[in-house]
Amino acid sequence: MTEQRLAVVSGGGTGIGRAIAARLAGDGCRVVVLGRRAAVLEEARAEIERTAGPGAVVPLAGDLADPAAVERVAARIAELGPVDVLVNNAGAIITPPEDDGLAALAASWRRDLDTNLLTAVLLTTALQGVLRRPGGRLVVISSAAAQRGGAGPHSAGSYAAVKAALHGWAFGLARQLGPDGITVNVLAPGYVADTEIFGVDRDEEFHARKVADTLVGRAGTPEDVAEAVAYIASPAAGYLTGQVIGLNGGAVLGR
């Protein structure tokens, strides 16, 4: 029998992360879902296992910006076996500064760096020794904002800058891990409706403006992202590495 693959999805309790976890579980992977809120992760586990079956999902709660928490989570994951797929999806929209001072601006940027960059760096570093060699797949979820700059309250300033930092980091990992047969790719979604990062309660004008930016005339869905990740993470994608893949309906054209 073929050995069951093990996947790890950070930010796996809601939105895009939950859709990715469900898709990988549907492909037969055992999926570890990570996040800060244990109750949310348990809800995701119950929902996914209704289709994928009992034991398909392992929820592990922890703050991935906290080195001690990451070490604890990584030790538990290592007990489950080699990691075939690591999806760094944890992240959040920008944190507005508390006031107009530079100290508040610095604190805001540091929070966003911790949430959107450091979480990926710490988790990947902690699990690097247990990534499957050869055949491991590392997927980093970025944003179209990193490619064209952020705009508006959800992606301006620090969010776009920190997401762009993921690209250079991932390129270095691709060079480092390629000789071991591990691929590293960045997926940069555009507007994906019904997710916490864009807000489920944004008005129709906001939605229409985002859809108008695309060439296909619709918003993306978490399932669109999950389908792309499923290919990048598959054994069939062994020759795809060191790439930033735009998934934005044509709102940002390839370069």
Side-chain angles (χ1 to χ4, degrees), residues 30-243:
R30 190 179 193 194
V31 184
V32 178
V33 290
L34 305 177
R36 291 179 292 106
R37 298 170 290 179
V40 171
L41 295 176
E42 181 57 29
E43 290 174 5
R45 182 203 61 76
E47 177 185 293
I48 294 169
E49 288 188 352
R50 279 197 289 270
T51 300
V57 176
V58 179
L60 294 177
D63 181 356
L64 298 183
D66 177 359
V70 174
E71 288 177 348
R72 174 178 53 80
V73 166
R76 176 69 182 98
I77 293 170
E79 294 173 357
L80 300 176
V83 174
D84 296 275
V85 180
L86 173 56
V87 182
N88 282 299
N89 170 71
I93 58 174
I94 64 173
T95 305
E98 294 180 357
D99 55 49
D100 293 334
L102 290 182
L105 181 64
S108 172
W109 274 67
R110 289 190 180 107
R111 284 193 297 270
D112 292 339
L113 185 148
D114 285 352
T115 301
N116 292 289
L117 176 62
L118 191 63
T119 52
V121 172
L122 292 180
L123 182 61
T124 301
T125 301
L127 293 178
Q128 191 165 312
V130 296
L131 293 175
R132 188 175 294 280
R133 291 167 165 80
R137 302 281 181 265
L138 203 163
V139 185
V140 179
I141 305 299
S142 174
S143 169
Q147 298 171 300
R148 67 177 180 183
H154 60 281
S155 63
S158 57
Y159 179 81
V162 172
K163 287 295 188 182
L166 286 169
H167 298 190
W169 170 69
F171 294 156
L173 278 179
R175 291 183 181 278
Q176 177 185 348
L177 299 177
D180 291 335
I182 298 171
T183 66
V184 182
N185 290 287
V186 177
L187 185 65
Y191 175 48
V192 178
D194 299 326
T195 61
E196 288 184 346
I197 199 162
F198 283 107
V200 295
D201 58 349
R202 291 193 183 271
D203 58 33
E204 293 183 3
E205 181 181 350
F206 174 88
H207 176 79
R209 186 168 64 251
K210 288 296 183 180
V211 169
D213 280 345
T214 74
L215 302 181
V216 298
R218 71 169 179 87
T221 68
E223 289 72 28
D224 287 325
V225 182
E227 289 293 333
V229 170
Y231 171 69
I232 298 169
S234 73
Y239 200 56
L240 178 68
T241 196
Q243 304 302 311

